[in-house]
Amino acid sequence: MEWDGEVGMNSVPDGVVQHILSMLSNARDVAACACVCRRWRDCVPYLPALFFPRNAFDAAAAARGAADDVIGRMVASVARLRELVIYCPFSMARLPAWLAARSATLRVLELRMDAAADKVAEGGHLDCIGLASNLEELRLWGVSLTAAPAWGRMERLRVLEVVGASLRDSAVRDAIAACPNLTDLSLLGCDCSGTVAIDLQLLQRCRLDILGAGNCSLLLTAPRLESLEIQGFTWITLCGGHSLRRLSIAKSTGRVHKVDTGNLPDLDHLSLRGVQWDWAAVSSVLQCASEVKHLVMKIEFCGDLDALQPFPEVDLVDFFDSHPKLRKVEIHGAMFAALCQKNSLKNLNSRFLIPCLEEVLITVRSPLNAEQKLNTLESLVKYSVKLRTMVIRISQMKNCHEAADEFFEEICKFKYMNYRKVRIE
């Protein structure tokens, strides 16, 4: 077949070429395409995004400042730049000029500040971000927020994400107060102590992940909040959680002492995780989440101070009567043991039903109280009128002797009697 010279990229309309090349963002790809021909190079000003990955430049180029020169030229050439992402090493001294050049069009900015070679101490390296006053999304890696940045009011900012930062509570408060219209806030893998106070009237989604075993408290006021995931706090107070649909609270080290959420009428998903919680904190959350549909309980112990104690006895009838809309339950060993105590089933009667429960996942870690545990499993199957699946997860059975073997044999018999619904992992 003969090649028609009119067929190919040269015959494609300029608008189509611009649309195709606008899908490029990686700086290396953009530079390569700009070298193909003048027509392609003329499309560079219309690119919406530039992304400089970690390996965008070799170490020698970064050391002699050539990387900064290339970043500056490319930013200057993209007249309609909306998104700028820099992961490679760069000079903070050049950042203000780049942001000022594209302040009118820039909407999304993501920077790995730990890659900067000349960071300014005490948060001053963030001040220049205020030059891009039209930003809608800001993501920062490896920053220091020990002093509030002087970036002024960021009225248009809707998304703020900070990863791997050293935080001071007063600096966090002032920085967030300068962004009053945030709908999404994430502080991930951050070091902080004291009280983190956040008041955002438009906030809808929030993720807070604080490292370390220290005692850090959270005071969050967000009347429009729909999703909240928090990790690492000892004291938690939520004001205005009436619209909350998803709540996850975890603390991998240390203890959760107090949780005050107020009533949560629209909550669909609740996850409680950690090594140690005060039982009062657990009870408070469960009481406020009476309408929850999906519950995950993975707490090892309760108790005050350093005393690790098992969960107190929980009445199975009262528990499910208090949470009538539960559809899916994931229960770790400690909570399951609390539902398997001597008097946990004393209120069972023929009129009792678990009306909505469809899926159950139970982790069993000990053969103690084997008879009570089997009775609880049988009761869950018997009284859950909509139950479709029960998964029994045998995990790290500590008492590896005859009692454990007998218990596992009874579990297998139970599974065989209810093979349509029950399975063992």
Side-chain angles (χ1 to χ4, degrees):
M1 186 175 78
E2 293 187 9
W3 173 256
D4 186 349
E6 292 299 321
V7 178
M9 284 297 289
N10 289 335
S11 65
V12 177
D14 290 344
V16 175
V17 174
Q18 287 184 10
H19 176 72
I20 294 173
L21 296 182
S22 70
M23 297 180 184
L24 299 176
S25 61
N26 190 295
R28 287 188 169 186
D29 296 337
V30 172
C33 289
C35 295
V36 172
C37 62
R38 179 183 296 275
R39 188 184 185 208
W40 286 25
R41 185 167 61 251
D42 291 342
C43 293
V44 169
Y46 303 99
L47 296 178
L50 279 178
F51 168 49
F52 296 88
R54 277 288 224 190
N55 61 347
F57 307 97
D58 57 37
R64 65 175 184 267
D68 291 329
D69 293 337
V70 173
I71 294 174
R73 287 197 301 270
M74 295 189 72
V75 170
S77 65
V78 183
R80 300 184 181 182
L81 188 65
R82 289 182 56 86
E83 180 177 355
L84 176 61
V85 180
I86 305 178
Y87 285 176
C88 64
F90 67 96
S91 171
M92 283 298 306
R94 304 285 292 274
L95 182 61
W98 303 339
L99 297 181
R102 292 293 165 255
S103 61
T105 60
L106 198 61
R107 298 293 182 268
V108 180
L109 178 63
E110 183 169 354
L111 302 173
R112 288 204 66 133
M113 309 298 286
D114 55 353
D118 54 350
K119 290 183 287 187
V120 182
E122 294 299 315
H125 56 293
L126 299 178
D127 295 351
C128 66
I129 292 176
L131 295 170
S133 57
N134 292 317
L135 280 180
E136 297 175 359
E137 300 181 21
L138 175 61
R139 296 177 177 87
L140 303 171
W141 297 58
V143 299
S144 174
L145 266 179
T146 54
W151 55 26
R153 297 277 288 184
M154 306 286 283
E155 297 283 353
R156 296 191 176 186
L157 197 66
R158 296 293 183 268
V159 178
L160 175 61
E161 182 174 312
V162 180
V163 181
S166 298
L167 307 178
R168 185 170 295 168
D169 50 3
S170 58
V172 174
R173 182 185 63 247
D174 294 342
I176 293 176
C179 313
N181 298 316
L182 288 178
T183 60
D184 296 74
L185 173 65
S186 299
L187 305 177
L188 307 177
C190 297
D191 288 315
C192 186
S193 60
T195 300
V196 177
I198 299 172
D199 186 349
L200 291 168
Q201 298 301 305
L202 301 180
L203 190 66
Q204 297 178 14
R205 290 161 292 274
C206 183
R207 293 188 300 160
L208 307 174
D209 178 13
I210 302 301
L211 302 177
N215 295 327
C216 191
S217 59
L218 171 66
L219 175 58
L220 176 60
T221 302
R224 298 189 183 184
L225 193 64
E226 297 178 0
S227 177
L228 176 61
E229 299 178 29
I230 51 181
Q231 201 284 137
F233 292 94
T234 303
W235 293 274
I236 300 165
T237 302
L238 172 62
C239 301
H242 301 292
S243 300
L244 198 63
R245 303 186 67 85
R246 183 181 183 89
L247 174 61
S248 176
I249 304 175
K251 188 167 174 60
S252 56
T253 58
R255 177 173 57 103
V256 177
H257 178 71
K258 181 180 179 181
V259 180
D260 182 7
T261 63
N263 192 32
L264 304 171
D266 294 332
L267 195 67
D268 290 330
H269 184 280
L270 173 63
S271 175
L272 306 179
R273 303 170 185 263
V275 176
Q276 183 184 13
W277 283 51
D278 279 6
W279 181 250
V282 177
S283 300
S284 173
V285 179
L286 291 177
Q287 183 177 358
C288 293
S290 59
E291 305 297 311
V292 69
K293 298 178 180 64
H294 183 180
L295 174 64
V296 179
M297 287 280 292
K298 293 189 177 181
I299 303 172
E300 298 281 354
F301 302 98
C302 66
D304 297 327
L305 300 178
D306 296 328
L308 299 177
Q309 299 174 358
F311 282 17
E313 186 174 88
V314 177
D315 188 284
L316 184 137
V317 174
D318 289 344
F319 178 78
F320 283 100
D321 280 348
S322 300
H323 303 88
K325 296 183 179 181
L326 273 175
R327 295 179 181 174
K328 184 175 182 179
V329 176
E330 300 178 42
I331 303 177
H332 195 64
M335 183 62 181
F336 179 59
L339 290 167
C340 300
Q341 298 302 307
K342 182 178 180 180
N343 296 316
S344 294
L345 305 179
K346 67 179 181 179
N347 292 322
L348 281 176
N349 58 68
S350 59
R351 292 174 296 178
F352 172 65
L353 290 176
I354 305 176
C356 299
L357 192 62
E358 299 176 358
E359 298 179 51
V360 178
L361 191 155
I362 295 174
T363 302
V364 183
R365 302 181 68 175
S366 170
L368 298 177
N369 295 329
E371 183 178 355
Q372 289 296 121
K373 289 177 178 177
L374 286 168
N375 289 338
T376 299
L377 292 173
E378 291 170 355
S379 299
L380 288 173
V381 172
K382 178 180 178 180
Y383 294 102
S384 301
V385 294
K386 294 185 178 180
L387 187 66
R388 294 186 290 106
T389 303
M390 173 183 285
V391 177
I392 303 173
R393 184 171 293 164
I394 309 297
S395 174
Q396 300 176 347
M397 190 73 76
K398 295 180 180 179
N399 298 53
C400 297
H401 48 63
E402 186 176 348
D405 294 338
E406 292 177 356
F407 177 60
F408 186 74
E409 183 177 347
E410 292 298 322
I411 291 289
C412 290
K413 290 179 181 178
F414 171 73
K415 183 250 184 189
Y416 176 77
M417 295 297 292
N418 301 275
Y419 68 94
R420 294 182 182 274
K421 297 180 179 179
V422 180
R423 72 174 190 266
I424 298 174
E425 292 183 356

